[in-house]
Amino acid sequence: ALPSAKMGCFTFIKVMMILFNLAIFLGGGTLLGVGVWVTVDGQSFLDIFGALSSSVLQVVNVSYFLIVIGAILMVIGFLGCCGAQKESKCLLMMFFSVVLIIFIAEVAAAVVALVYTGLAETLLTAVVTPLLKEKFGADDSFTHIWNVTMSEVRCCGLNNYTDFTDSPWHKEKGTYPEPCFGGSLPLAHPHLSGCLLQGCFNQILEDIKTNAGVVGGVAAGIAALEIAAMAVSMYIYCELDQK
């Protein structure tokens, strides 16, 4: 009775592995599709979802982020699904390796985020601030993303209002973006009123600290899923080894 029970357990875990990775593959495909949609037609995406979204992802170009994450998820889903279905030790080992690399990268990123928040701010400033001075007011999609972000998060620029000094918007209109004034344009000294709102980096950092429990819970959940996926793939691999 034991071998058949063991075989039944193996089959059940194999089916669960296939279904789980099929869901990951489809989810990755959806994210990839949305990423391509944002890249090709960013304005229509923002018109539909812009007002609803106010996350850290809007600080950088969300489309490339979605494409990368979607592609990675599709690769993971494909390797896991095919590896389990075809009982391929090679694919299962590749699946295990990819998930392990991602897990290690996430742990490293978490440590860096906790220890080197100042470094993250420096890197973001070095990358994003020149983009604001170059594109804000010239690139419609980029300008809209930032306006929505600043309105929703109630912040101004990445560091402060001076991020927009000498931008195409500032040169053309002689003032700072409307969200920097909390919705009402001042009659005089716009530069003084502009500094009433803090930069988006600090504001988002405050939001993350406020919701640290939720962020930590989501991170822990993702980590647990990754560990479970690695354990299951290794179990199937070892069972195939004994066949």
Side-chain angles (χ1 to χ4, degrees), residues 17 20-21 24 72-73 75-84 88-106 223-238 240:
M17 177 87 168
F20 176 69
N21 282 287
I24 286 178
I72 291 170
L73 287 178
V75 169
I76 291 172
F78 175 80
L79 290 173
C81 198
C82 289
S88 165
K89 286 167 68 178
C90 177
L91 289 177
L92 284 169
M93 186 48 72
M94 285 174 69
F95 171 84
F96 178 86
S97 302
V98 171
V99 176
L100 180 63
I101 289 166
I102 291 169
F103 179 74
I104 292 168
E106 285 171 353
L225 276 176
E226 288 170 342
I227 291 167
M230 286 189 286
V232 169
S233 64
M234 195 43 66
Y235 167 79
I236 295 173
Y237 183 91
C238 292
L240 293 174

Side-chain angles (χ1 to χ4, degrees), residues 84-168:
Q85 199 271 324
K86 296 181 184 297
E87 297 189 356
S88 165
K89 286 167 68 178
C90 177
L91 289 177
L92 284 169
M93 186 48 72
M94 285 174 69
F95 171 84
F96 178 86
S97 302
V98 171
V99 176
L100 180 63
I101 289 166
I102 291 169
F103 179 74
I104 292 168
E106 285 171 353
V107 171
V111 170
V112 169
L114 287 171
V115 180
Y116 299 112
T117 307
L119 178 64
E121 184 173 11
T122 306
L123 288 172
L124 265 178
T125 303
V127 173
V128 177
T129 308
L131 280 177
L132 286 173
K133 290 193 185 297
E134 180 191 336
K135 288 188 172 186
F136 194 88
D139 185 319
D140 290 341
S141 180
F142 182 84
T143 304
H144 187 71
I145 287 173
W146 266 94
N147 277 329
V148 169
T149 302
M150 292 189 295
S151 297
E152 293 289 325
V153 184
R154 292 192 61 75
C155 58
C156 178
L158 185 70
N159 304 294
N160 53 47
Y161 70 98
T162 58
D163 290 346
F164 298 107
T165 304
D166 296 329
S167 67

Side-chain angles (χ1 to χ4, degrees), residues 139-220:
D139 185 319
D140 290 341
S141 180
F142 182 84
T143 304
H144 187 71
I145 287 173
W146 266 94
N147 277 329
V148 169
T149 302
M150 292 189 295
S151 297
E152 293 289 325
V153 184
R154 292 192 61 75
C155 58
C156 178
L158 185 70
N159 304 294
N160 53 47
Y161 70 98
T162 58
D163 290 346
F164 298 107
T165 304
D166 296 329
S167 67
W169 175 283
H170 186 253
K171 285 175 180 174
E172 183 188 335
K173 301 182 185 294
T175 185
Y176 295 96
E178 193 171 330
C180 288
F181 309 114
S184 59
L185 287 169
L187 296 174
H189 306 299
H191 58 289
L192 293 176
S193 297
C195 61
L196 294 174
L197 284 177
Q198 63 176 322
C200 292
F201 182 86
N202 288 329
Q203 188 59 49
I204 289 166
L205 208 59
E206 285 300 314
D207 290 349
I208 289 172
K209 284 176 183 172
T210 306
N211 301 298
V214 177
V215 174
V218 170

Side-chain angles (χ1 to χ4, degrees), residues 42-66:
Q43 196 57 51
S44 69
F45 179 86
L46 286 166
D47 290 341
I48 298 168
F49 296 108
L52 300 174
S53 52
S54 61
S55 71
V56 68
L57 298 181
Q58 288 181 328
V59 176
V60 292
N61 197 326
V62 70
S63 59
Y64 300 121
F65 179 84
L66 289 175

